[in-house]
Amino acid sequence: REKGLTMFFMQLSLAVAAAFSFAVPLRIWAKCLLGCCGEPVKTDDTDYYAAQYMWSKEMKYHKDQFIYKKLPDSVNPEYLKPGQSAAIRIDDVKATYGVAVTSEAEKAVQGRRRPHGRGGTAAGR
């Protein structure tokens, strides 16, 4: 008898919770649940031009991607400036494309290993 009563109240609680979760918007749930945790974290609105000074060269796509990496700083500066176009001309890319692709191909060949099977035998033999 107690087991049946416990199941009834559990099902009733689930039904009420489901009804409220569909009826109440998510931001109100967040306010109720997270409001007791203290003040919200304050973020300052740092824009890209300020944030780029906190990143290493490897974190910047225009300095780490193999095609752009080989471009000189005069064409592909590390730090971008507001109002100044960062577009790179196709002629500049074509001038360094061969060097960039060759360099990446050499890295790929040096790092390549023959795949091995379960018994340690090299594939393709």
Side-chain angles (χ1 to χ4, degrees), residues 1-9:
R1 177 176 154 99
E2 271 187 44
K3 190 175 184 180
L5 192 57
T6 303
M7 285 299 280
F8 168 75
F9 282 117

Side-chain angles (χ1 to χ4, degrees), residues 23-93:
V24 178
L26 185 60
R27 67 185 153 89
I28 293 176
W29 277 110
K31 229 182 221 185
C32 293
L33 296 174
L34 300 176
C36 63
C37 296
E39 292 185 33
V41 176
K42 294 179 182 177
T43 59
D44 69 17
D45 293 328
T46 304
D47 68 346
Y48 178 84
Y49 297 107
Q52 68 181 335
Y53 290 94
M54 296 182 265
W55 302 328
S56 67
K57 235 181 195 182
E58 294 78 26
M59 295 173 76
K60 299 173 187 167
Y61 181 81
H62 71 283
K63 294 305 279 182
D64 191 53
Q65 205 272 347
F66 77 96
I67 292 176
Y68 300 124
K69 189 189 299 188
K70 299 294 182 185
L71 293 170
D73 283 337
S74 59
V75 175
N76 186 21
E78 182 172 357
Y79 300 109
L80 306 177
K81 297 176 184 155
Q84 185 178 0
S85 175
I88 297 173
R89 294 186 352 230
I90 192 70
D91 295 334
D92 294 328
V93 174

Side-chain angles (χ1 to χ4, degrees), residues 109-123:
V109 168
Q110 289 171 359
R112 187 177 66 188
R113 233 183 63 194
R114 280 188 121 162
H116 286 73
R118 283 189 191 164
T121 57

